[in-house]
Amino acid sequence: VNVNKWELYPIPFDHEITLRQEDVEAFQIDIFSFEGKHVYKNLNSQGANIVPLDLSHLEKGIYITQIKNLSNNSIHYQKIIKK
């Protein structure tokens, strides 16, 4: 199975976080509050290896990202923190 290697930075972040992937493939990112509420969705159907995400609308706190590779349906989860 070809699993993408993902990186989200900086953590913690203020307003924007950047998603970088090793292999350029289409993906979808969903972000959930620590309580489980869906707070953000971004579909990158064209694929890009570096994608800035404006998350300035989010409150300070801990969030869980779910990044799904649309080519092979692999899913990566990561905790992020907004300061």
Side-chain angles (χ1 to χ4, degrees):
V1 176
N2 178 22
V3 177
N4 278 16
K5 295 188 178 165
W6 306 92
E7 179 182 12
L8 288 166
Y9 60 89
I11 298 175
F13 67 97
D14 286 314
H15 303 291
E16 183 177 275
I17 197 164
T18 300
L19 184 145
R20 186 185 70 76
Q21 62 173 324
E22 251 181 46
D23 301 322
V24 179
E25 298 200 34
F27 66 88
Q28 175 178 316
I29 182 168
D30 291 282
I31 299 178
F32 300 88
S33 69
F34 206 64
E35 295 78 29
K37 181 180 174 186
H38 188 259
V39 296
Y40 182 84
K41 180 177 188 172
N42 183 317
L43 176 64
N44 184 346
S45 59
Q46 296 177 2
N49 66 333
I50 297 178
V51 179
L53 305 172
D54 179 6
L55 300 178
S56 58
H57 68 284
L58 297 180
E59 299 287 327
K60 294 179 182 179
I62 299 172
Y63 296 88
I64 303 297
T65 63
Q66 173 185 286
I67 305 166
K68 181 177 182 181
N69 178 320
L70 299 179
S71 300
N72 63 19
N73 290 325
S74 64
I75 297 177
H76 171 82
Y77 294 95
Q78 183 171 337
K79 178 176 74 171
I80 59 173
I81 300 169
K82 180 165 184 191
K83 58 180 175 175

